[in-house]
Amino acid sequence: MLVRDAMSTVVLTIGPTHTLRQAAALMSARKVGAAVVHDPEAGIGILTERDILNSVGLGQDPDAERTHAHTTNDVVFAAPAWTLEEAAAAMAHGGFRHLIVLDGGEPVGIVSVRDIIRCWAPARQRVPA
């Protein structure tokens, strides 16, 4: 199975000056765990629910903190034609749970560990114990 078969095509894109509260509200409304941050200066990055949680856990004000300060810009991107095994290996190697999927340099989806598990679980359930 390929990344294109598992990825979510709901790509929330936000800017680097959104507050963490604004980002959290948008992510919650769209029921996604990560947002693509498009920063004209830094390029494409990712902000995850864990980034927001870490900030709040440090006592930072989500109404004052801007996404650019919490965005991961050193991003590993996936291609739609990657296998799920390739995506899982990249996630395991990098220690992250989301990959932005690029096609022609543009974000077309996000694949998460949960997406991969959903694809693999039915196949594993059919295997006799």
Side-chain angles (χ1 to χ4, degrees):
M1 188 167 279
L2 302 178
V3 165
R4 75 170 50 93
D5 302 318
M7 71 183 190
S8 170
T9 57
V10 175
V11 180
L12 172 61
T13 302
I14 60 176
T17 60
H18 278 81
T19 66
L20 291 186
R21 184 175 310 278
Q22 289 170 325
L26 291 167
M27 290 164 66
S28 178
R30 289 182 175 80
K31 297 182 175 145
V32 297
V36 173
V37 180
H38 183 262
D39 186 336
E41 294 178 21
I44 297 173
I46 190 167
L47 179 79
T48 68
E49 56 204 353
R50 183 174 289 168
D51 298 322
I52 297 168
L53 182 65
N54 287 340
S55 175
V56 172
L58 290 171
Q60 297 174 335
D61 181 357
D63 291 313
E65 291 295 312
R66 302 294 173 178
T67 58
H68 68 82
H70 302 277
T71 298
T72 300
N73 290 310
D74 185 20
V75 180
V76 174
F77 298 103
W82 277 19
T83 65
L84 293 186
E85 289 79 7
E86 289 172 307
M91 290 177 187
H93 179 75
F96 43 79
R97 299 177 298 161
H98 299 87
L99 288 170
I100 298 171
V101 183
L102 293 184
D103 192 10
E106 295 296 318
V108 294
I110 293 183
V111 65
S112 70
V113 169
R114 181 176 292 155
D115 296 326
I116 293 171
I117 290 170
R118 279 191 201 125
C119 290
W120 285 350
R124 296 198 192 313
Q125 288 174 353
R126 285 185 241 126
V127 176

